[in-house]
Structure formats: structure tokens, C-alpha cells
Amino acid sequence: MGMTIVEKIFARASGQKRVAPGDLAVVNVDVAVMLDSTFHPNSRRRILKLQDPEKIVVIYDHMVPAPDKLSAEGQAYGRAFVKKFGIKRFHDVGPDQGIGHAVIADRAYALPGGVLICADSHTCASGAFNCAARGVGSPDMLGAITTGKTWFKVAPTVRYDFHGKLKPGVSAKDVFLYLAGTYGHHTNQNVEFGGPALATLSINARRTLATMGAELSAEFATFEPDQILLDYVRERNSAPFEEQYPDADASYADRRRVDLDKLEVLVALPDSVIQNSVPVGQVGKVKIDQAFIGSCANGTLDDLAEAARVVNGKRVAPGVRFLVTPGTQATFIAALKAGYIQTLMEAGAVVTPATCGACFGGHMGVLGPNETCVTASTRNFKGRMGDPSARIFMASPATVAASAIAGHLIHADEIA
Amino acid sequence: MIRAKVWTFGDHINTDLMLPGDMLFASEEEQKRVVFRANRPGWVDEVRPGDIIVGGLNYGMGSSRPAARSLRNVGVGAVLADSINGLFFRNAVNFGLIALEVPGVRAAFEEGQTAEVSLEDMTVLNRASGVTLKALPIPKMLLDLMLSGGIYPHLEQQGYIEPNRDRPPPAP
């Protein structure tokens, strides 16, 4: 019996001929991404040795620019750490700033066939690059950067095959809402994406889907490689890699067909995305206080383009705060050059620097008591973006942008 | 053998409920005060050291944040759930919180009943009903880490990180 994509990556990275569900694979880590949270005074530990500084990337994203004194002290501590160990790939506040997983995408730090970890649950975002990328805890990170290794329990894999093509206005976020709404959680399972329609999904669309793998509670969310991906990576990173395709006789827990052309615009109701999606037209007239587009899931240039298309020439409804956070400063500049930022700001959006900020209720857009938000970001858990009494609906950038204009949840076609 | 009172929770109990985002960078002492603040206010004042959490499917879904550490600091003796989210499980292993996947456990217990957990046999007994359930096996390397206080003592002993004398004492 053959292996799935991640099984092949684990086999290579653990020096074995094959691995199978139920195994524990102790693997060499190719890239370990440390975030500003690692250096925060309330959580950091003093690291004495690193296995290989060349394998480490340091990216400040959660609390940037530093909104308080403790974060500022932690970030200064981290700069000294970077200097001491001679870490070359460092993304501080400035032109190279961005949300970790988005920076990884911009620079192609996640190589096909490789193993990447980061102490953030949305690390699976880099599964878009045919990489076995997994969010770990902060202690795992300390273990991996000092020993060079980590462990993965090998889980069974569910394979999704894409067919057809998304209708205009239906996005990768809607594909995710369909999968979460229809199939629910994938605890202790991997998901693998591919199929004949893979080429119809842009790299940014794949990133959205892979990122949201965390919200399916999948162990790994990994895309099959194709020419689009290989070209993308080679344009950005000259390091050698060996992409992994699943074996023809790979063993899957289930194999599911997704007809992209049949999918509709969906919204997840508050508190969970698990079997909680409904067509946006069926939600009723839900008045909103805040509309947010951003995060590692929806801060791509595609997302900003879609939001700008929807709000072009219109004005945000009175009483609505429309916040937009590009995934990286590089994406911000690209959106500026393309005119998207001007369109968004003229419509009344507040565009923030690249940060995890509002998505995790950290800063720059925290919700107050009893407020209602529609978000194109990663999570709608109770209390996620601020006060526990706030309601968070999750939707695509187009739906969020349209809702900001209407002042209530609405399908983008209805304000066109 | 762990023998303690059970607190029951539902499916998909997420990390943000155990450790809210606005407390992500607070001290461990402050974080410990807000466990289940949104879904079960006041619980931290009722739970006693050694008590057991029984959850449903996908316990601990969500973030990489150290929610398992907060449960350990509150004194939770074990988490038993129908299934446990992989990322939460990693943190449980690394922070030395006993966390077992026990299919059927949620339906087998009512809140306030007593659970008896044998780590040798990997079984859970509800003495009130007489029902015994089998926990899913945990690879030896991970079980050893979980039961020996997590990864930090090992990293300290090997000289990878500086010993932290201020670390709070391990759970009873």
C-alpha cells in the first residue's frame, strides 16, 4: 500500500522507508519559525543553544507595532537573541513585517516536501506549498530549535478532490465554509487537497484553504504540488527541494469529491464553524458594528482585490467600523500600487499595518460587549475577538466588504 | 491510580475558553484565574486540586496557546475526552498534564461522579455505574514525557535552556 503526501514527507524526514497511521514519527525539522510571543517576558525561557540558526526564521506578528510596554521589552529581548545567534531571516517591525504564515508565503520559506513548524495553530497555512507544516506549542518550539527534531503522530488522511471551477463571487473561504459545514471536524485526521481543478485555485486561494485546515481541527492540511506551485516557489527561493506527490495506491480514510461550480456564498454563525454554515441569504438582516478582513487566512492580495471590487465607489454604512489588515507590508504595497488601498479607504475602510491584531482579539480592533462582527479571518470562537458577549459571523472578504457597506450581513451581489 | 470528582463539558471545548486572547500575555497566575471565564464563570473557584475534566469530541480545538498549562496550574488531575485535539495534546504532553482519549467517556459520566483512572491499564472506571472504558494507547515516549512533568525539565537537564527557578510547582 502506498503513502499519502504527508506520510512520504514524514518517511523522508524520519529516515524511514515508510510510515503508516498509528506510527510516531520523530522527524528532522527543516524550518522553525519563532514569533514575538516566544520572547514575551511572561512566557519566554532563556535559550542556551540552538541546533542550527540557519533553520530558524524569526517573525514578529502578534503584537506589532508593540502596543504595550511588556511587548516592547519582549521584542527588544528577541532582537538581542537574533543578534547573539546570528539568525539571518528576521522580520522585525518595518518593510519586511507581516503575519508569520503570510511572510513565509511571500518568501517561499516553506519548501515543497519539507517540514516546517511554528508555535501558532495556523502554521498549516504552509500546507499550500506541499509542505508538512504544523502548529505546535511553545515548548515544542524550544525542543525543536535546540535538538533539531520534533515528533508527529501519523494520522489517517482524508483526501479532497476538486472538480469544476468556482462561480464568480464564490471564494476559497466559501469552499472552507462548505467543507466545515458539510463534513465537520477532522480531529486526528489529515486533509489532503488536489484533483483535476487544482489549477483553477490560485496560490492565495490555496493558502486560505490550507490555513483554515486548523479550523477543521486537522493535523495537517497539505496540497498536491503542480506547475503553478513549483514556479511560485522557484521564483522566490533558490534552495533545492523535492516535492511530494501521493502514491497512486495511497491509503485514505475517505476520498471526497468537491464540485467547485456547485458551491454558494456561505456564512458561519457565531461561536463555531463546525457544521454551522448557512447561505448568506438565509441569515436574516443581522446588523453589524464591525467588519474585518485580514489574518493569515484572508490578508492576501486576492482578498484585498475582492474587497476593493465590492466597495468601489460606495461608502461604509454609518456606525460600522470596517477594518482591513493586509497579511504583509509587501502585500500592503502591492495593494497600494494596484489601487485597492485607495478604493478601500475612500469607501471608509481603516487599513492597518500587517499584524495578527484584531483576529485574535489582541489589539487594533477588539470587540466590545454585545457587539456584532462579520469577519474574514480565522476564527469565530466565543470571545475570540474581544468581549465574550460579542457575536462573530465568519464569511468571505466579498461578503464582509458588502456587509460593511450595507450595515448588515448581505450577499455581495445584492449591493452591486 | 487517580480517583477524583468529574466536571463535564461538551464537544469542541476550545483553547480560547480555557485561555482568552486578551490574557494571552498575562502572567500564569492571572491566566489561571480566567479558565472557562466565558462559558462557565466561577468554575476556577469551585474546582479542587486533582479534579478531572471530562469532555466530548475534539477537546482543546483551536490555538497553540498554553491552555494545558493553565489547567495544570489550576490543579486539574486529568483531562479525559472522547477525542482530543492534536495541538492541545502536544501541549498536554509538554506541560505534564495527563490527557487521555477515552471513546465513550462523555456519555459515561454525569457531573459530580467519581472517576478512577489507571494509567497502568489505561482504563477509566465509573464506580457509580460500574462502567469501565478503555483509553486509547499513547506512544511510550510521549507518555513518559507527560508523566515526568513535560519537556522543560529535560531541556534544562540537557543544558538547552536555563533552569527557571520561578516555575510554579507541578500539579499535585
Side-chain angles (χ1 to χ4, degrees), chain A residues 40-399:
Chain A
H40 195 278
N42 278 341
S43 51
R44 72 179 172 232
R45 295 296 300 265
R46 188 153 175 264
I47 297 158
L48 303 174
K49 296 176 191 165
L50 289 180
Q51 190 264 340
D52 183 0
E54 296 287 325
K55 291 182 177 165
I56 294 175
V57 179
V58 176
I59 305 175
Y60 286 178
D61 63 5
H62 275 64
M63 300 294 262
V64 289
D68 56 56
K69 283 180 282 189
L70 286 178
S71 297
E73 193 275 343
Q75 288 168 29
Y77 180 97
R79 287 178 196 113
F81 171 87
V82 164
K83 199 169 171 197
K84 176 182 170 191
F85 286 102
I87 293 168
K88 296 186 189 115
R89 295 183 287 183
F90 176 39
H91 293 261
D92 198 349
V93 175
D96 298 332
Q97 176 185 333
I99 300 171
H101 316 305
V103 170
I104 293 167
D106 280 1
R107 302 297 182 97
Y109 288 151
L111 291 172
V115 172
L116 179 146
I117 63 164
C118 170
D120 184 277
S121 55
H122 296 107
T123 303
C124 48
S126 295
F129 303 103
N130 185 241
C131 181
R134 202 203 193 295
V136 297
S138 47
D140 283 311
M141 274 307 290
L142 290 183
I145 61 177
T146 55
T147 69
K149 291 180 188 298
T150 196
W151 53 267
F152 297 130
K153 283 164 75 180
V154 184
T157 298
V158 174
R159 165 84 181 194
Y160 287 98
D161 289 301
F162 297 121
H163 294 258
K165 193 176 191 313
L166 288 172
K167 288 181 286 196
V170 182
S171 73
K173 195 57 170 289
D174 299 300
V175 179
F176 160 75
L177 291 167
Y178 163 77
L179 295 178
T182 306
Y183 297 108
H185 69 103
H186 294 59
T187 310
N188 297 326
Q189 292 180 322
N190 307 311
V191 293
E192 185 177 293
F193 297 112
L198 181 60
T200 69
L201 297 172
S202 68
I203 293 294
N204 287 338
R206 299 178 202 184
R207 285 170 53 197
T208 298
L209 263 172
T211 304
M212 297 308 286
E215 305 318 305
L216 297 172
S217 290
E219 289 286 292
F220 288 85
T222 316
F223 274 76
E224 227 183 287
D226 66 357
Q227 200 56 47
I228 297 171
L229 173 74
L230 301 179
D231 292 345
Y232 178 96
V233 173
R234 288 197 183 109
E235 278 166 21
R236 290 165 176 78
N237 190 337
S238 59
F241 61 83
E242 194 179 330
E243 72 272 22
Q244 295 293 338
Y245 298 84
D247 290 330
D249 60 345
S251 171
Y252 295 106
D254 199 4
R255 190 157 192 153
R256 297 167 185 164
R257 178 188 170 105
V258 180
D259 290 301
L260 296 175
D261 45 306
K262 290 185 185 153
L263 301 187
E264 300 293 334
V265 175
L266 297 170
V267 57
L269 304 178
D271 298 349
S272 173
V273 295
I274 303 297
Q275 290 170 326
N276 208 21
S277 302
V278 295
V280 68
Q282 287 179 23
V283 189
K285 197 169 173 178
V286 178
K287 200 178 160 308
I288 60 167
D289 301 291
Q290 182 165 308
F292 175 61
I293 297 174
S295 84
C296 46
N298 283 119
T300 70
L301 193 61
D302 289 4
D303 295 320
L304 302 178
E306 187 64 354
R309 177 187 70 79
V310 170
V311 304
N312 189 18
K314 301 186 170 64
R315 285 295 291 180
V316 169
V320 174
R321 311 181 296 270
F322 181 28
L323 308 180
V324 178
T325 302
T328 63
Q329 294 301 93
T331 299
F332 198 147
I333 291 178
L336 199 65
K337 288 179 177 163
Y340 307 149
I341 300 296
Q342 184 169 352
T343 302
L344 287 164
M345 291 184 71
E346 282 176 355
V350 171
V351 183
T352 82
T355 173
C356 306
C359 173
F360 78 106
H363 58 126
M364 266 195 289
V366 178
L367 298 175
N370 302 310
E371 289 192 326
T372 300
C373 175
V374 59
T375 190
S377 58
T378 65
R379 268 188 194 132
N380 67 342
F381 295 168
K382 190 175 176 62
R384 166 77 179 178
M385 297 175 74
D387 195 274
S389 64
R391 295 187 304 166
I392 310 169
F393 292 81
M394 184 179 293
S396 69
T399 304

Side-chain angles (χ1 to χ4, degrees), chain B residues 74-98:
Chain B
V74 163
V76 168
V79 173
L80 313 174
D82 291 331
S83 59
I84 295 178
N85 184 276
L87 184 46
F88 181 83
F89 179 78
R90 297 187 80 94
N91 278 321
V93 167
N94 285 326
F95 285 112
L97 172 74
I98 293 171

Side-chain angles (χ1 to χ4, degrees), chain B residues 9-155:
Chain B
F9 290 82
D11 292 339
H12 308 297
I13 294 299
N14 69 59
T15 50
D16 298 39
L17 295 175
M18 292 180 266
L19 177 45
D22 62 344
M23 298 297 281
L24 214 46
F25 299 110
S27 68
E28 286 186 46
E29 202 48 42
E30 291 167 305
Q31 288 176 347
K32 172 180 150 174
R33 298 294 312 155
V34 295
V35 176
F36 297 134
R37 178 182 68 184
N39 59 325
R40 209 160 170 173
W43 180 80
V44 287
D45 296 318
E46 297 176 66
V47 64
R48 299 262 83 74
D51 282 0
I52 291 172
I53 287 176
V54 166
L57 295 170
N58 194 16
Y59 188 92
M61 77 164 173
S63 159
S64 65
R65 64 190 61 178
R69 181 179 68 186
S70 286
L71 295 191
R72 187 200 67 190
N73 289 344
V74 163
V76 168
V79 173
L80 313 174
D82 291 331
S83 59
I84 295 178
N85 184 276
L87 184 46
F88 181 83
F89 179 78
R90 297 187 80 94
N91 278 321
V93 167
N94 285 326
F95 285 112
L97 172 74
I98 293 171
L100 305 179
E101 293 187 296
V102 189
V105 73
R106 177 63 193 84
F109 281 93
E110 287 170 31
E111 184 151 302
Q113 290 184 322
T114 298
E116 294 183 17
V117 182
S118 165
L119 292 168
E120 286 179 0
D121 303 336
M122 291 296 270
T123 55
V124 175
L125 166 68
N126 181 344
R127 200 166 280 285
S129 66
V131 170
T132 300
L133 299 167
K134 194 81 186 140
L136 299 183
I138 296 176
K140 184 173 183 308
M141 181 185 110
L142 306 186
L143 189 61
D144 287 349
L145 261 183
M146 185 190 272
L147 298 181
S148 64
I151 195 176
Y152 287 102
H154 295 272
L155 294 176

